[in-house]
Structures are given as structure tokens and as C-alpha cells.
Amino acid sequence: MARTNRRLSRATRYARYAGGPDPLAAPVDLTEALDAIGEDVMAGYSPEQAMREFLRRGSKDRAGLDDLARRVAERRQELAQKHNLDGTLQEIKQLLDSAVLAERKQLARDAGLDEGDRALAEMQLDNLPASPAAAVSELNGYDWQSGAARADFEKIKDLLGREMLDQRFAGMKNALENATDDDRAAIAEMLNDLNALLDAHTRGTDTPEQFDEFMQKHADYFPENPQTIDELLDTLAQRAAAAQRMRNSMTQEQRDELDALAQQAFGSPELMQSLAQLDENLQSLRPGENWGGSERMEGQEGLGLGDGTGVFQDLADLDELSEQLSQSYNGSRLDDLDLDKLTRQLGDQATVDARALQQLEKALHESGTMKRGSDGQYKLTPKAMRALGKALLRDVAEKLSGRQGNRDLRQAGAAGDRSGATREWAFGDTEPWDVTRTITNALTRTAGEGRPTGSGIRIEIGDVEVHETEARTQACVALLVDTSFSMAMDGRWVPMKRTALALHTLITSRFRGDELQLIGFGRAAEVMQIEQLIGLDAMWEKGTNLHHALLLANRHFRKHPTAQPVLLIVTDGEPTSHLEPNGEVYFNYPPDPVTVAYAVRELDNSMRLGAHTSFFRLGDDPGLARFIDSMARRVGGTVVAPEADDLGAAVVGSYLGSRKPGGGFGAAGSGFDELFGRSGGLWAR
């Protein structure tokens, strides 16, 4: 065991979590996403729009794209408001002031200095131009008496050279501190070789071997370790473009000062010529970079040329991240997000959130939740519709039960509900055995025959008892939902769709023998598949054609003459249109007596077909209430006036009431105990 432990300890390696997929995270949970997407789809969004909206909002435990975009914008604003662009000029001015002060002190205390030379030097120092560039130029040939002053003045040239190089090659400012002549010569050689390589690439005469030779010789200047000349060009051009944007953002006075000072960089005008040639090559080879942009930088913290270029690269990264997070371009996917840039700008947690959103988007596409239709648009799959319907059905069950925690019933129960009684098995019975009664019968028979029971129990046919079930009548259900403009205008559009999907899910999963038809009625009526109804945009056309809807419902009832007709009507308005004999739609508001007569006549036909009718009246319109009440009394139906959020529970409860043993019809919620209460849950999983 000790040997095994030592072997395990040698093989085990621990390292800091690098921000990749969290190995301890739970699998992606699509439940919350599907609920939110389904809600938006019912409100009129396309499935793809709904998915994008959810990803933008995020979940209750995870930031969304909008939150990440907000943080990107705040980071960008912080950079722009924190800095200004005169850091290098201020540093040069400080070095210049330090050199002049040290020289004045030396002139004052040097007793051996010729008085004429002292006066001339002091006069030159007193009359230096206010411009740092002009002052540096004038002092370029000055004979310094102070060693400290001379050192500070030489630092100005060294600083400029390092800043100029740091603009193009990140890290040069620190790497070249206290640079020697050999260091400067090596830099000059690298720039000459680089420009030669880029010239050859421009002409199309460069070779991979030429690039490899260049990198082998000068790799220390390129920590990014580019593998091809294109990677090298991308790295150089991005930083050079940032340097140009920084220059564009300066005032003309600042640019003039730096241009004049640049001639003193490293004491070598050739350096500026090489850098200018490099910029020209890069702009020619990468014209797509942002060379012309600028920023307003009005903060208190001065930026040097190299650091400022880095800040402008950060700003470019943030702009790119902002576009990626907007997902507003064609073909956008969350896989487009540059997670490395996100980590650099916002930290590890932002990357964890972004990666979770990427995984969620991928799961939505790959789990069968969404697929592209023939028109190229995403649609909710039947699998997603079932999952959404089950979630809605749970909500309905909780509202009907008045309590949570009922267990789910895992048996479809298509053969009927148990009555609580048992009977002896007969040939042809398919009901489940009552195991307890069967074994008791076998024990009793065995004891009565005087046989020992130690050797086991022998069950005979006469011992078997089965659970009695009550016969279940097939129902033929028509759900008529009002799709007129008032339903959308008054916020009833989504509850109507939720109700339809909940009832559809209940019937297709629990009462598979029943026949459901969904009928939407606005100015005209139409039989709809559940997917069509769920995806239906808000209808802004006036008209409530109950007559046409009843015609379609009665046709459905006639197709199933042996089934019990169940008519469920959801509406928020009186009938204002009807179907003429020639097939044309007639509309009038206020309701025309002829339109009402057509609707009443067809409702009478439903009654003659034996339909159990229930009206679900939405809204408080007194005229609608009187009309619905009179219609219900005429056919012996019931009226329920639920709030919009309770519509689903009311409709499902009414349907369950019509499914009571014996086929009796009850008010909304009757028949509930058999399916929601003591007997357990509602749906089979």
C-alpha cells in the first residue's frame, strides 16, 4: 500500500485552475433556458430571437451577454477617462528640469570656473525656449559642467529611443534600459532585416526559409513567437496601428514636440528612418487595420508612448469584444468570442461566465431543443415542445392542488383508473395483479389443504386477483382560442398559448386515446397544430369569428361519433364576424344580430352532438359576461372567469372534470383528486 501511495504521489500533478471548463461544474441545465425561450416564443419572438434574448439576459446564477458588454463598456470608459497622452513629454520635461537645476548648482559652486564662461552658461540656461524639444535641441552641443546634469540629459535621448521602439515592440522600454552601443546596433540590424523581409513579402519573393532565418536570428524581440510571416505581420500591424491612433489622438502641439524630439532618439536619425519605413510597410500590407481612429483622453494619469500604445491596443480589444458580445452581425455565434482577450480585459470570472454561455448555446443546438427549418430559421423541436409542455403542466398541477410536492405518476393508466376493489382473474384480463391478495389466497389455500409451507408457496390460477378499473370513455376535445387583436393588446396572448400547450401535453401524454383539435379564431378560424399556435405572431386584425370556430369543432366531433365531445372556448370578446354561405367573412362592430344568431345556431349543433361545453371568459366587459352566461345556460354549459395567469389551470381542470368516471361533466377542477391529489401526480415521464 505504501508503494502504491508513493507511485500515486509521483504521478499526481497539481496546478492553478487556468479558467477552462470547470471540471466540478454541473452539466449544462437547459430547463431554465427552455422555459425562458418558450415564454418569449409564445410572446411572438422567433425561437432564434428568444434564444438570443436569453443569452443576453443570462440565467439567475450566471451573467449574460448584456452584463459582460456592460463591463466591457465600463472598462473602456475607465481607460479613456483615467489617462492623458503627454506622459512622455512630461517625463522629458522633468529630466530636462533636473539637468538644468543640477547644472545651475554646479555653476554656482565651481569656484575655479572662468567668470566669463560662468556668465555665458548661465545666460544660455536662463534663455532656454519653453518648448522641451527646442530646449533639448539647443542644449545638444552644450558643454555640461555637472556629471549628474549630463547623465540626465543623455537619459532624454535614451528614453525617446526606448519609447519609440516600445510603441512597435512591446517591452522594449524596459529591455533597453541602460542600453549599450552594441544593443543599439543590434536593434538597428533587426529593423533593417525586418524591413528587408517585409519588402520581399510585398513583392511576393519571400520564402518560408527567409522567415525562419529571420526568427532564428531575432526571436528575442518577438515574445509572441509567431510561426509564419502572416502571424508576424498581424502582431506588428495591430501594435503599429494602435501607435498611430495614439498619435492621431494627440494635439498638434504634442505631435510637433515629439516629432522634433524624435530626431534626438538614441542620437541616431537612422532609427526614425527605419521605424518610418516599418510603418509604411505595415500599412501597405495590413490596410484593414484601424489606422485612422482616435480617442479623447482627458484623464490625470499621463501615458508614455509605449504604455499608451498598449492602452490603445486594449481599447481596440474592448471594441472587438463589444462587437462580439452584441451578436448583431450575420452568422454570429458565441464561439466567436475571443476568450483570451476577455480574460485580459475583465479577468477569469468573465471568461467562466462567457464559456458557460457558449456551452449553453451549444447544448441548445445539439440537444435536439432547436433545429433549422427548411426556411433556414430555428424552430423548437417536438422534444423541446414536450419538455416545455411538461413544465407548464407542473405549474398547472401546483395551482390545482394548492400544494407542492405531489409525486409524479409513472404509469400512463390508459386502461382506466383503479376503483380500489379487486376480483378474481378471468381469461382475457389485462389489469395488474393485486400481489398481496394473490399471495394471501395462496397461503390460505395451502394451509387449508394441510400442506407444509416451509418448502415454498405454489400459486394457482384460482389464487390470482386483479385490480378492478373503471372504464374510461374516449373524449373528442376541441379547444377554441380567441386570437383577435384584443387578446394581444390586453396581455392575454401568452397565457392563451401556455394553456393550449399544457392541455396538448396532458392529452398526448396522459390521455392518448382522446382526440384534441386546436382551433384559433380571429376574423376567421383555423385548425392549428400546436407548433403553429405556439409560434403564432400577435394578430392585430379585428374580428372574433366564433361561428367559424364552432363549425370546425363540430366537424371534429362528427369525425369521432363514438367519443364524448368536449368543447372548451377561451375568449375575451363577443362574436363580431361570421362565415357567409359563399365562404366570405362578414365583420361588424358592435356585434350584428345575424352574427350572434350564426354563432348560437352552431353552438346548438354542438349541444345536439352531445358536447359538454365550458366557456372561459377573460376580462370584465359586462356585455361579454351577459352574452357568455346566456350561451352557457342555453346549452347547459359552465362559465369560468379566471385571471389570465390562472387560465391554464381552469381549462385543464375543466377538461379533467369531463373525464370523470361515468363520463359526467363537472365544473373546473372536478375530477382533480383522481389525477392530482391522493393518487399522485399527473404525467408519465
Side-chain angles (χ1 to χ4, degrees), residues 56 156 362 516 627 651:
R56 294 187 70 82
I156 293 175
K362 185 177 181 181
L516 172 65
F627 171 77
V651 171

Side-chain angles (χ1 to χ4, degrees), residues 628-646:
I628 293 294
D629 289 344
S630 63
M631 294 276 277
R633 284 195 302 271
R634 183 180 183 90
V635 296
T638 60
V639 177
V640 183
E643 296 295 330
D645 290 342
D646 295 326

Side-chain angles (χ1 to χ4, degrees), residues 49-304:
Q49 287 175 318
M51 179 186 69
R52 296 296 176 197
E53 283 300 312
F54 179 76
L55 293 174
R56 294 187 70 82
R57 293 192 301 265
S59 65
K60 60 184 179 182
D61 299 322
R62 187 71 69 187
L65 294 177
D66 282 346
D67 184 67
L68 292 174
R70 175 187 58 77
R71 291 162 63 186
V72 164
E74 288 175 350
R75 171 66 176 157
R76 194 187 195 289
Q77 185 179 29
E78 176 190 354
L79 288 176
Q81 294 182 348
K82 179 179 180 181
H83 301 292
N84 62 59
L85 302 180
D86 63 353
T88 296
L89 290 175
Q90 290 298 322
E91 193 171 354
I92 288 172
K93 191 174 185 307
Q94 289 171 5
L95 286 170
L96 184 61
D97 290 344
S98 176
V100 170
L101 179 60
E103 181 68 5
R104 289 182 186 279
K105 290 180 179 178
Q106 181 63 32
L107 291 174
R109 64 173 173 258
D110 190 350
L113 185 64
D114 180 80
E115 290 301 324
D117 291 340
R118 190 196 318 272
L120 183 62
E122 289 177 344
M123 183 183 302
Q124 187 174 359
L125 295 179
D126 289 340
N127 291 283
L128 286 175
S131 162
V136 169
S137 178
E138 184 167 325
L139 291 171
N140 198 35
Y142 179 80
D143 184 16
W144 297 93
Q145 301 300 312
S146 166
R150 181 183 298 107
D152 281 343
F153 187 74
E154 291 301 321
K155 285 181 182 179
I156 293 175
K157 297 179 181 180
D158 183 70
L159 172 66
L160 281 167
R162 290 188 293 127
E163 287 278 20
M164 292 290 181
L165 288 168
D166 201 36
Q167 278 195 299
R168 278 76 174 182
F169 308 94
M172 280 284 197
K173 181 179 179 181
N174 295 328
L176 291 177
E177 191 170 8
N178 301 319
T180 65
D181 290 340
D182 289 341
D183 294 329
R184 297 185 182 96
I187 290 290
E189 183 181 11
M190 182 273 290
L191 287 173
N192 288 334
D193 291 347
L194 178 57
N195 281 320
L197 176 63
L198 298 187
D199 286 338
H201 187 70
T202 301
R203 296 191 303 271
T205 59
D206 63 311
T207 64
E209 291 75 18
Q210 186 178 1
F211 170 78
D212 292 340
E213 182 181 349
F214 173 83
M215 289 301 300
Q216 189 172 13
K217 185 177 179 181
H218 302 296
D220 291 344
Y221 297 111
F222 303 95
E224 303 87 357
N225 192 26
Q227 299 300 304
T228 65
I229 190 170
D230 284 324
E231 289 184 12
L232 175 64
L233 278 170
D234 289 341
T235 300
L236 291 172
Q238 288 168 8
R239 190 158 180 90
Q244 183 60 48
R245 292 194 301 276
M246 180 179 181
R247 176 180 171 83
N248 298 342
S249 304
M250 294 177 176
T251 65
Q252 186 62 50
E253 181 183 359
Q254 289 172 326
R255 288 195 291 267
D256 291 343
E257 284 288 313
L258 287 172
D259 288 345
L261 285 165
Q263 302 305 317
Q264 309 295 326
F266 279 157
S268 170
E270 291 79 10
L271 173 65
M272 287 304 300
Q273 293 173 5
S274 296
L275 292 177
Q277 183 182 355
L278 175 61
D279 289 346
E280 184 178 346
N281 282 326
L282 292 173
Q283 289 195 40
S284 173
L285 291 167
R286 289 293 185 271
E289 292 289 340
N290 181 11
W291 299 94
S294 63
E295 297 286 341
R296 290 180 62 86
M297 309 287 282
E298 299 177 341
Q300 299 299 314
E301 186 176 315
L303 285 172

Side-chain angles (χ1 to χ4, degrees), residues 392-415:
L392 295 175
L393 212 47
R394 286 190 192 96
D395 292 341
V396 168
E398 289 172 2
K399 287 185 178 180
L400 284 175
S401 67
R403 63 184 185 275
Q404 299 184 5
N406 291 338
R407 60 183 177 85
D408 294 341
L409 183 64
R410 298 182 182 272
Q411 179 181 352

Side-chain angles (χ1 to χ4, degrees), residues 427-500:
F427 180 76
D429 282 340
T430 59
E431 287 80 5
W433 286 17
D434 185 322
V435 177
T436 302
R437 293 286 299 172
T438 298
I439 294 176
T440 300
N441 291 340
L443 285 170
T444 302
R445 178 180 50 75
T446 301
E449 293 173 354
R451 297 180 182 179
T453 59
S455 58
I457 302 173
R458 181 183 179 86
I459 298 176
E460 297 182 358
I461 290 296
D463 300 328
V464 177
E465 291 195 27
V466 296
H467 291 284
E468 276 197 329
T469 58
E470 296 166 332
R472 178 174 290 167
T473 304
Q474 182 188 26
C476 178
V477 185
L479 175 62
L480 282 53
V481 291
D482 191 340
T483 59
S484 63
F485 83 101
S486 59
M487 290 284 288
M489 182 178 65
D490 294 331
R492 298 163 187 150
W493 197 253
V494 172
M496 174 269 290
K497 291 183 178 183
R498 290 170 62 91
T499 297

